[in-house]
Amino acid sequence: MDSTQLRTLLDEVRQGVTDVDAALNRMRHMPFEDLGFAKVDHHRALRHGMAEVVFGQGKTPEQIEAIAARLVERTRNVLVTRVSEEAARRVVALSPQAEHFPLSRVVRIWRDRELKGRGKIAVVCAGTSDIPVAEEAAVTAETMGNEVESIHDVGVAGIHRLMENTSRLQRAKVVVVCAGMEGALPSVVGGLVTAPVIAVPTSIGYGASFHGLAALLGMLNSCSSNVTVVNIDNGFGAGYVASLMNRP
Amino acid sequence: MDSTQLRTLLDEVRQGVTDVDAALNRMRHMPFEDLGFAKVDHHRALRHGMAEVVFGQGKTPEQIEAIAARLVERTRNVLVTRVSEEAARRVVALSPQAEHFPLSRVVRIWRDRELKGRGKIAVVCAGTSDIPVAEEAAVTAETMGNEVESIHDVGVAGIHRLMENTSRLQRAKVVVVCAGMEGALPSVVGGLVTAPVIAVPTSIGYGASFHGLAALLGMLNSCSSNVTVVNIDNGFGAGYVASLMNRP
Amino acid sequence: MDSTQLRTLLDEVRQGVTDVDAALNRMRHMPFEDLGFAKVDHHRALRHGMAEVVFGQGKTPEQIEAIAARLVERTRNVLVTRVSEEAARRVVALSPQAEHFPLSRVVRIWRDRELKGRGKIAVVCAGTSDIPVAEEAAVTAETMGNEVESIHDVGVAGIHRLMENTSRLQRAKVVVVCAGMEGALPSVVGGLVTAPVIAVPTSIGYGASFHGLAALLGMLNSCSSNVTVVNIDNGFGAGYVASLMNRP
Amino acid sequence: MDSTQLRTLLDEVRQGVTDVDAALNRMRHMPFEDLGFAKVDHHRALRHGMAEVVFGQGKTPEQIEAIAARLVERTRNVLVTRVSEEAARRVVALSPQAEHFPLSRVVRIWRDRELKGRGKIAVVCAGTSDIPVAEEAAVTAETMGNEVESIHDVGVAGIHRLMENTSRLQRAKVVVVCAGMEGALPSVVGGLVTAPVIAVPTSIGYGASFHGLAALLGMLNSCSSNVTVVNIDNGFGAGYVASLMNRP
Amino acid sequence: MDSTQLRTLLDEVRQGVTDVDAALNRMRHMPFEDLGFAKVDHHRALRHGMAEVVFGQGKTPEQIEAIAARLVERTRNVLVTRVSEEAARRVVALSPQAEHFPLSRVVRIWRDRELKGRGKIAVVCAGTSDIPVAEEAAVTAETMGNEVESIHDVGVAGIHRLMENTSRLQRAKVVVVCAGMEGALPSVVGGLVTAPVIAVPTSIGYGASFHGLAALLGMLNSCSSNVTVVNIDNGFGAGYVASLMNRP
Amino acid sequence: MDSTQLRTLLDEVRQGVTDVDAALNRMRHMPFEDLGFAKVDHHRALRHGMAEVVFGQGKTPEQIEAIAARLVERTRNVLVTRVSEEAARRVVALSPQAEHFPLSRVVRIWRDRELKGRGKIAVVCAGTSDIPVAEEAAVTAETMGNEVESIHDVGVAGIHRLMENTSRLQRAKVVVVCAGMEGALPSVVGGLVTAPVIAVPTSIGYGASFHGLAALLGMLNSCSSNVTVVNIDNGFGAGYVASLMNRP
Amino acid sequence: MDSTQLRTLLDEVRQGVTDVDAALNRMRHMPFEDLGFAKVDHHRALRHGMAEVVFGQGKTPEQIEAIAARLVERTRNVLVTRVSEEAARRVVALSPQAEHFPLSRVVRIWRDRELKGRGKIAVVCAGTSDIPVAEEAAVTAETMGNEVESIHDVGVAGIHRLMENTSRLQRAKVVVVCAGMEGALPSVVGGLVTAPVIAVPTSIGYGASFHGLAALLGMLNSCSSNVTVVNIDNGFGAGYVASLMNRP
Amino acid sequence: MDSTQLRTLLDEVRQGVTDVDAALNRMRHMPFEDLGFAKVDHHRALRHGMAEVVFGQGKTPEQIEAIAARLVERTRNVLVTRVSEEAARRVVALSPQAEHFPLSRVVRIWRDRELKGRGKIAVVCAGTSDIPVAEEAAVTAETMGNEVESIHDVGVAGIHRLMENTSRLQRAKVVVVCAGMEGALPSVVGGLVTAPVIAVPTSIGYGASFHGLAALLGMLNSCSSNVTVVNIDNGFGAGYVASLMNRP
């Protein structure tokens, strides 16, 4: 059921072809079928018009497989994040188009590859260890219909490497910046570009990084006003909201 | 010096009319003059192409007045945030166009009122006490060239009031949501709209709200993937980045 | 020894049939026998008039088995929470009526199935991953003599799913709401019902959820005044106190 | 507009006397009138069937007075909490029945004094300094139609004083326990009674009490399973939810 | 080298039999020999006049064995705490008098069993799960020359069990109280006795216990003025300082 | 009513001169009279056999005066801590023997000056700013019947000043050590003496001292095993428990 | 008493002109005289060979004046930090050479102005609001005998302003960097220079800056390995240790 | 490419032998080659003139090997920190000069052994368990061209052991102090020496040490002004910055 179908249904109601109760009933029961343990919400795909996403953490491989199987039937693009090896294997078996990204623990089925964005999304990371989070953001944004440019390992301690990428950064419509430790990179990038910057603190670090808290607080206190922040290690969220910002 | 001037200068360089050193010198010395205590950065206006902003907190009324006076000469729109009564009086005296918003402690000089956004920005707040932060966001976005729609007092404990505003929310290109206490409103709004939601935790609350920490953590953990977060009480930041997202 | 026995004993004292020292001695020694490592407190069953509960965490399978064995002899309903697989096996072996709930890690022996409550208890959870905690609450409340209605996967990001259940929620005498991440669900449910809402933060989430702290703080700061809070992942406590609230 | 009116309106809709748009319009505009800065929500009174409450903190005396004035016209019982001296004076001037409780900073207008509860509510506090919070709870519960019994200064360091009150505690249908510092009192009371215990941490203490955090954490970790917790210093919330629990 | 030897040496210096440099040299090199990785400090035994203690955590079994071997040669009583199974095996092999306490992970060699205290030390714990910490305290105090009385499983939720032990508690010269979760027991015990109470928070609990932080804060804020606190799970420290308090 | 009176009363009960109810009634009503806002607990003086103490914080001058007036009639030594100037004036007016210590904000009435301890109590502080807390400890210990030796300004950064006082420290039966900032002094003192050390973190410091948290954590983690800790700035508690430790 | 005097005294001891006790006595009593409330430690000046410093916070103006008066007599350079207006007035009155820096709340008496360092010390700050802390560092370093170069308002959001100062930064022997909010500046500076960088987090910021905690954590997690950190707002400490690093 | 090469290149540019673009191109591409996952930054070696360092944590053995292989070809001294056993094996296989330090998990290739410092660096640790961190600091400083003196197990609870080492400490140009638990050692050492002290909190401890937080806060609040702090367990950083301080 896509938004066209919904519009059709509502028109039928207006025209008296379908009465309100029947319409309500169809709308209510059709889009999210009850799998027993989780209500797969096709409404969300309908509302956001993109891929369907399964957040794999805290779900068993069996649950993930069952949810993904339903989605594969109904949606063109499916993204499964935070999968274990076992869950990845099961989802990959569901479709010949499935790709597994072991570093970022993502599986995607990417059948509708039409570009939908207004421009490029740049995904930047500070250090080698931040790449998994950056990859999750990049794969998400790409699957949502965006051209993505990845720029890795440009941490602030070697500011020249970052400066060299200034023009690439300035060409992006949205910039996602992933950094752990002190989390300073989004502030510097934010000063170089006029696009919105989505900062992703990563849990990379040790000691007083407190599993990403230091980076998170740093980003929330950024002196660059074009920076907003998502949860620690939330590459998916950053890629997702970057896609929304990039839509026409 | 606006971006046209900069382009002219660079063309002169390319054409050999100005040599590189002279150009560098002009670029370096012209845009941020040294006031002794602060370098007013016209580069930022140049880069972001909007209003100039003075963050009033931690500056004396004299400092604020001096910085604002420089900006008023060079920039069409000036925003001064977190002003004391005294500082507000001084800035208001600088220009007949100055307006003072005592609730949100903002003074603005709004001379270029051309709309620059792609659509409306909705600014939503959960309770009466959150209005100052919401107003800071709304005034900022408006001054940056956006049409703003404010929706107040639609907290989650009375979900029907929020639901009634669903279509207004769904028409916005960007939604700013300000909430204190448990900070749940951005998650609910995020589920109702497909636009990006900028969540602003406010310090409203008491006890275990820990001056906005509860709301901040709630928003960072939002189960709605279209939510990003700014610092506690950072209405300005939310209005600013919403403006960037709304630009063509 | 139930409350009738206690009353009989006290009457004997009043009538001089038993002297005070003897009575004190019987009362003191009979109800909680010393197992060496733990005093099984039959007084509590006597005081609260329900099932006896063994909190399994931090106890060895042997200790759990020994305590449960004593309780099975004296009490009709026994609940063992937070059991390992090994402890579950041992307790299940104690009684043919024993049931094991692996998801919520509960074993119960439910021999007195009489309904004792004034109405239904609704147990609601936000996401699939919160089900184990919700199940612990539901099994507890059921074993304590209540009719329980479970409503799963109605998180605030898809507010329509929750709204659809409004009338079911409004029919309950007490509502238990389990949610991780931002923990916003109790506030919304609290606004929909007039019954008391017991909020259970779960440790579901990552990054800035800090193992349930974000949800906990959110619930403590709920703008719905009918919400009280128990410890993170404390499904048992929520089911228990809901039972007390539901008693005539 | 009370629930009878609402039902009448809906029946008119069903019978075709009123069309849907008109009905929606009346429902939408009548119950919560827009005062500009706050939507007074008569729906809540309608839903919870008790007094209307104004949370005074973060509102100006003028705002409080305006909201209270509206409520006084429509609702029999009005409670205004966390009022300044100035706001109290203004609200007291609104009605000859208004009473001001300076210790707990509450003003109430108590016109419907019918008892609505199933039994008594006991409000207990640990020390003299906790009395303001306990009073807020007691006044709230009383105004909501309950008989309240207050037991002050029975902290755990002098356990005999508490034990002496055991039978009074055991006669209550609900017990509210307010304590600062280590917050141990709810656990001990919880072991003495079978009724639900609502624990209110207070900010009384110094040093490592961290403004009530120590008491809050203590109460959340109570080994008495009949304890639930509200926010630090939230006497109102405790009295309110105790009233709900005490309703038939 | 015991304090008699030290006194003899110093007298020799005073009498000119030994010159200062030689004396200094002997004092410096004799009491703590360098094992390469740790200076075994016989000075401490000399200063505190009791057993020697090896804190096993963070040391390899080989290191523990080597340090213990040295101590066994020179000191009558040796206590090794926080040992792994492997380290315990090695230390037990050093002496036929060695005893292993697997619950509290202590090994001791207890050759001087003379009672040195002024009275009894009571070691109390709230729940079964706190026994390992209580046992560490009890074994320590016993090895340091004290008569120890252990009272287990007398948590505050069943206050009568504790009250029954009042006179045993009141006979002790020092009381050690171990409790996890809300950590309320020391406050109640502190109100029942006039002896000093050493409170040991344990890491028993879950969720908002934050690995013993809740109990620690509760104990630091005790309203009983005779309570002092040691680190979380520091049974050894409590037993040690209780021994010092009990000395004539 | 002192312990002799209590024993007399109980003997009367045993001999049948007084019946149990009458005895209970006298015991219950006599020792802690109800002042309306606080139950003055003479039981505690009776139990601990020392001075009566009023904790002034959070009480109005009127409340403090009323409580102190009662105590002055019945107890020889009265200590009022954390008094405002106004409360101090009122208490001083109650008795010609009253002394006011403005630095530590203590008033005492010290009529029974008999020494009751086994030895001296040393009260040590790290810096000039810690003196108020140290004075509270010293005045408390002195009023409780102890000889007190104060050693000020011997912080660890000038270790020689501390070392010079080694023998004075080693002569004390109990040592109280007050320190803010890093709170390292108790560890060093603990290594120099064999007596128990009561560590008092003070709120002296700034920035990452977090109002005494740094000192508190430091002291809880002391590598000297003879150290126990009380709450931040709790000079009274340290002096009080030191007195208990020093009793025969 | 300077180190020459000390050496002379020790030589006298070696030559038998002064006996050990007399020497010890002179050394012990001369350098830190007891003012009653604080031991002025001339040893420290002696050890560190620079100015004497009085930390004014937590001391009364009278105490500060008394300590400063002693130091002025004995030491050439005196620095008094964190002074109130009143204390500043008193210290300025002590010497015609006294200078008051109201922004950084420092008074200094600077009589020995000889340069003692190996090179320049650069003191950098991120924003206008950080200047007070930077000034405290600069004044300290200058008074300790160093040439100081101050570079203000070069925060990371305008990276070009910082880059322009690269060569000035690279010429310094030590760099002090003061920054609040996200505290990112030390990392970037650390990447530009090879000298040691002393990072000073400031309490500038709001909301999730938590009074400098965000900046502090950021700096501790710096990815530039040449960064060390001092306490929040500790400009003095940074200037002091920078002086030590700059000594030959 | 070393700094001589860079200078040559720039001279060529000045002389017109190389044009700017070509020069830029060579500079940009030569020094940090792209390995796909990490940009090995030879610029840093060039800037800091010492060894190249690979931070092993969060990198796979394969990544570490690849980066190290590149460095071994170009740099004389290579340090790989936080290596797993597997990664250590691979790096050791790269060069016959490679040494593995299993305790501190460091591998180094140390071919340029010329001393470059002005004096000795002392590396001090409080307890046996702190040795791994101290060793990381010592190996780092040594590889950077410094003479290092290690002093182990001189914690503050046995202050005499530390005092004995006073003159060794006072001879050092820089002192690194590693301590866990209460982290008091740097303050005491700081008072004994005039050199800069670099404090390294270690994660050694338990309970309220919170994985090194207690030690970290203690060190940040040190009352010794010559102390600066690095991250928890950051032995490498301490050794590195100590080397910079020791350079001529």
Side-chain angles (χ1 to χ4, degrees), chain H:
Chain H
M1 181 182 220
D2 60 20
S3 49
T4 316
Q5 286 181 271
L6 182 62
R7 201 159 282 147
T8 309
L9 176 62
L10 292 175
D11 284 343
E12 290 175 17
V13 172
R14 197 161 22 179
Q15 293 150 23
V17 180
T18 304
D19 71 20
V20 170
D21 281 347
L24 272 171
N25 214 35
R26 273 169 60 194
M27 285 168 68
R28 191 170 291 144
H29 291 94
M30 283 164 69
F32 51 95
E33 302 154 66
D34 202 321
L35 303 183
F37 46 80
K39 296 185 173 149
V40 176
D41 189 356
H42 302 299
H43 268 321
R44 207 172 66 164
L46 181 154
R47 286 197 311 272
H48 289 197
M50 290 171 147
E52 263 302 335
V53 183
V54 183
F55 179 67
Q57 187 175 300
K59 301 202 178 71
T60 65
E62 290 75 15
Q63 289 177 321
I64 291 171
E65 185 186 10
I67 301 172
R70 288 287 175 130
L71 294 174
V72 166
E73 286 170 30
R74 297 169 174 278
T75 322
R76 302 225 47 201
N77 291 350
V78 176
L79 204 64
V80 192
T81 65
R82 307 212 168 195
V83 285
S84 62
E85 281 298 313
E86 163 68 5
R89 235 176 7 79
R90 285 171 179 259
V91 179
V92 164
L94 290 174
S95 160
Q97 293 108 329
E99 302 163 86
H100 181 206
F101 297 81
L103 205 58
S104 50
R105 297 165 51 220
V106 171
V107 176
R108 76 162 161 200
I109 292 151
W110 189 22
R111 295 183 288 210
D112 171 3
R113 297 191 173 215
E114 187 194 348
L115 283 182
K116 299 181 182 71
R118 295 184 289 148
K120 272 191 208 172
I121 293 173
V123 177
V124 184
C125 78
T128 306
S129 311
D130 302 315
I131 293 178
V133 176
E135 188 182 274
E136 194 186 60
V139 169
T140 299
E142 198 180 56
T143 313
M144 297 301 185
N146 301 281
E147 188 178 357
V148 174
E149 177 152 26
S150 289
I151 303 173
H152 289 177
D153 204 23
V154 290
V156 297
I159 199 76
H160 294 288
R161 293 194 249 178
L162 178 64
M163 302 300 274
E164 246 174 55
N165 286 288
T166 303
S167 59
R168 289 168 78 196
L169 290 167
Q170 287 175 342
R171 279 194 298 268
K173 263 299 191 218
V174 188
V175 184
V176 172
V177 184
C178 307
M181 302 179 78
E182 77 270 64
L185 189 56
S187 290
V188 180
V189 170
L192 294 174
V193 304
T194 59
V197 171
I198 302 167
V200 192
T202 75
S203 55
I204 295 304
Y206 62 93
S209 102
F210 296 124
H211 310 294
L213 177 62
L216 171 63
L217 291 181
M219 292 171 183
L220 286 166
N221 286 284
S222 177
C223 49
S224 292
S225 301
N226 49 345
V227 173
T228 62
V229 186
V230 297
N231 196 0
I232 297 164
D233 290 335
N234 189 8
F236 162 70
Y240 188 91
V241 80
S243 301
L244 299 184
M245 293 180 193
N246 193 31
R247 290 202 301 192

Side-chain angles (χ1 to χ4, degrees), chain A residues 37-77:
Chain A
F37 46 79
K39 297 183 172 150
V40 175
D41 190 357
H42 301 298
H43 267 321
R44 208 171 66 163
L46 180 154
R47 286 197 311 272
H48 289 196
M50 290 171 146
E52 264 301 335
V53 184
V54 183
F55 180 67
Q57 186 175 302
K59 300 201 179 72
T60 65
E62 291 76 14
Q63 289 177 322
I64 291 171
E65 185 185 11
I67 301 172
R70 288 286 175 129
L71 294 174
V72 165
E73 287 170 30
R74 297 170 173 278
T75 322
R76 301 228 45 202
N77 290 350

Side-chain angles (χ1 to χ4, degrees), chain G residues 53-90:
Chain G
V53 183
V54 182
F55 180 66
Q57 187 175 302
K59 299 200 179 71
T60 66
E62 291 75 15
Q63 289 178 321
I64 291 172
E65 185 185 11
I67 301 172
R70 288 286 174 128
L71 294 174
V72 166
E73 287 171 29
R74 296 169 175 280
T75 322
R76 302 226 46 199
N77 290 350
V78 176
L79 204 65
V80 192
T81 65
R82 308 213 168 192
V83 286
S84 61
E85 280 299 313
E86 162 68 6
R89 235 178 4 82
R90 286 171 180 259

Side-chain angles (χ1 to χ4, degrees), chain C residues 44 46-49 118 170 173 190-198 216-217 220-232 234 236-238 240-241 244-248, chain D residues 44 46-49 118 170 173 190-198 216-217 220-232 234 236-238 240-241 244-248:
Chain C
R44 208 171 66 163
L46 180 153
R47 285 196 314 271
H48 289 197
R118 295 183 288 147
Q170 288 175 341
K173 265 295 192 220
L192 294 174
V193 304
T194 59
V197 171
I198 302 167
L216 171 62
L217 292 181
L220 286 166
N221 286 285
S222 176
C223 49
S224 291
S225 302
N226 49 346
V227 173
T228 62
V229 186
V230 297
N231 197 358
I232 297 163
N234 189 7
F236 162 70
Y240 188 92
V241 80
L244 299 184
M245 293 179 191
N246 193 32
R247 290 201 302 189
Chain D
R44 205 170 69 161
L46 181 154
R47 285 197 313 272
H48 288 197
R118 294 183 291 147
Q170 288 175 343
K173 264 296 192 220
L192 294 173
V193 304
T194 58
V197 171
I198 302 167
L216 172 62
L217 292 181
L220 286 166
N221 286 284
S222 177
C223 50
S224 291
S225 302
N226 48 346
V227 173
T228 62
V229 185
V230 296
N231 197 358
I232 297 164
N234 189 6
F236 162 70
Y240 187 93
V241 80
L244 299 184
M245 293 179 191
N246 193 32
R247 290 201 302 190

Side-chain angles (χ1 to χ4, degrees), chain F residues 46-115:
Chain F
L46 181 155
R47 286 197 311 273
H48 289 197
M50 290 172 146
E52 263 303 335
V53 183
V54 182
F55 180 66
Q57 186 176 303
K59 300 199 180 71
T60 65
E62 292 75 15
Q63 289 177 321
I64 291 172
E65 184 186 11
I67 301 172
R70 288 286 174 128
L71 294 174
V72 166
E73 287 171 29
R74 298 169 174 280
T75 321
R76 301 228 45 201
N77 291 350
V78 175
L79 205 64
V80 191
T81 64
R82 307 213 168 193
V83 286
S84 62
E85 281 299 313
E86 162 69 3
R89 238 183 357 85
R90 285 170 180 260
V91 179
V92 164
L94 291 174
S95 159
Q97 291 107 331
E99 301 164 87
H100 182 206
F101 297 80
L103 205 58
S104 50
R105 296 167 51 221
V106 170
V107 177
R108 77 163 160 199
I109 293 152
W110 190 21
R111 295 183 288 210
D112 172 3
R113 298 193 172 213
E114 189 194 345
L115 284 182

